[in-house]
Amino acid sequence: MSENCSHDCSSCKESCSSRDKKSFIKSPHKLSDIKKVIAVVSGKGGVGKSMTCALLAAASQNKGKVTAVMDADITGPSIPKMFGIHKHATGDGTGILPVVSDSGIQVMSMNVLLENEDEPVVWRGSLIAGTALQFWTDVIWTGVDIMFIDMPPGTGDVPLTVFQSIPLDGIIIVTSPQDLVGMIVKKAVNMANMMNVPILGIVENMSYIKCPDCGRKISVFGESGVDAIALENGIPAVAKIPIDPELTKAADSGKIEELEHNYLSDFLDKIVKNLK
Ligand code: ADP
């Protein structure tokens, strides 16, 4: 226990013996049915966490699983744009209904609640974390096999609330080669260990480019260190996504579900196999 313990575990990140890990878990909406929940995390912004989350969801839906995406990146929501969603969420008095993408993925995001999607969310941390939690407690998620949560980057209020309040089956860490200087990934690994959540896999995004003429893989940021990091931390699955203009184009035009090649399809199979 910390010397400065205030006995308020909800605002403390210490993993001391008196903390009851289960005590903060919140039930989803009483009409929700969600089998597995996987959070997609990154140490910093811009590494492709939302891209990874969207690709995993598209692959999962494509494999016939009922899939949902909870966009917990409240201040920087990019999931609806990637799926071409511009509708607003509706409610029926008992709860909020997610918006459904063209291929049938259930999506909840701050951007489907705002009157105008360009409006910034300038809120204090506790309000932001409370909203992310409401996406779990107040949204009616129907018959979901796998839910992916797009977390905001880092280890702030929202990741802490999600880790403490939602019964996660595991996390997937997203990194980029420059990010792999180790420390930032290590922070995410340590947070997951502190919260007792299994790390299911690691994705190195923007890992390489493919020469358009000869197809050779070029590691623009130097040789990848992700396999060594995975080995060192006992992470069972690794995926590498190249810098691919087709991905940017699909994400920007809201057609992420229509991509012919999904780089995370095989990775998802490994993840699902390792789920308890
Ligand atoms: P984060 O969620 O980590 O902040 P995003 O997933 O929003 O990052 O990605 C940032 C930008 O980079 C987006 O415009 C996205 O379309 C683009 N992007 C991400 N990964 C790739 C990739 N492998 N190839 C090309 N563009 C990518």
Side-chain angles (χ1 to χ4, degrees):
M1 195 184 296
S2 152
E3 274 176 27
N4 303 320
C5 179
S6 66
H7 302 283
D8 176 10
C9 301
S10 66
S11 61
C12 176
K13 295 182 174 105
E14 289 285 324
S15 179
C16 63
S17 54
S18 60
R19 177 190 285 281
D20 175 4
K21 293 203 171 70
K22 289 204 174 60
S23 64
F24 299 114
I25 294 289
K26 294 267 188 287
S27 300
H29 190 284
K30 60 180 188 302
L31 297 178
S32 285
D33 172 19
I34 310 155
K35 292 196 182 74
K36 297 288 176 199
V37 188
I38 297 173
V40 182
V41 310
S42 69
K44 62 184 176 86
V47 298
K49 171 184 51 63
S50 301
M51 174 68 82
T52 299
C53 192
L55 287 176
L56 285 168
S60 166
Q61 183 74 12
N62 198 28
K63 287 172 197 284
K65 297 198 181 298
V66 178
T67 304
V69 179
M70 181 204 283
D71 186 357
D73 199 344
I74 306 293
T75 56
S78 39
I79 291 292
K81 186 174 186 334
M82 288 185 177
F83 285 94
I85 291 174
H86 300 285
K87 290 175 273 188
H88 286 117
T90 52
D92 67 354
T94 47
I96 308 166
L97 300 172
V99 175
V100 179
S101 76
D102 285 349
S103 73
I105 299 171
Q106 298 172 42
V107 174
M108 180 48 68
S109 166
M110 195 63 203
N111 256 15
V112 302
L113 296 173
L114 294 172
E115 188 73 26
N116 169 2
E117 59 186 29
D118 299 328
E119 232 173 274
V121 175
V122 190
W123 292 351
R124 295 217 179 267
S126 53
L127 196 56
I128 296 172
T131 304
L133 190 52
Q134 277 183 292
F135 287 178
W136 175 252
T137 55
D138 297 3
V139 172
I140 303 173
W141 302 98
T142 309
V144 173
D145 292 318
I146 304 192
M147 170 185 282
F148 295 97
I149 302 184
D150 187 9
M151 292 268 239
T155 51
D157 273 339
V158 175
L160 180 61
T161 299
V162 170
F163 270 112
Q164 286 184 330
S165 316
I166 298 181
L168 298 177
D169 293 282
I171 64 159
I172 290 169
I173 298 175
V174 185
T175 183
S176 58
Q178 331 82 296
D179 194 11
L180 268 183
V181 187
M183 188 187 73
I184 294 176
V185 172
K186 201 76 200 173
K187 277 191 203 292
V189 169
N190 286 339
M191 184 161 188
N193 290 342
M194 259 168 72
M195 300 293 172
N196 228 349
V197 177
I199 303 166
L200 301 168
I202 185 162
V203 174
E204 185 178 73
N205 189 32
M206 308 188 195
S207 184
Y208 58 92
I209 53 169
K210 236 183 190 172
C211 170
D213 297 325
C214 67
R216 191 167 69 88
K217 288 182 180 179
I218 304 166
S219 305
V220 255
F221 301 109
E223 276 316 303
S224 165
V226 73
D227 294 296
I229 293 251
L231 202 64
E232 192 185 316
N233 293 285
I235 302 173
V238 177
K240 293 173 191 160
I241 307 178
I243 297 174
D244 180 349
E246 288 300 315
L247 289 181
T248 329
K249 206 163 85 190
D252 285 351
S253 59
K255 299 206 162 109
I256 205 78
E257 298 164 295
E258 293 173 28
L259 276 172
E260 264 175 42
H261 175 66
N262 188 319
Y263 289 100
L264 296 182
S265 189
D266 295 345
F267 176 74
L268 178 69
D269 291 338
K270 283 189 209 148
I271 298 295
V272 168
K273 219 161 43 188
N274 285 333
L275 282 173
K276 295 221 172 76

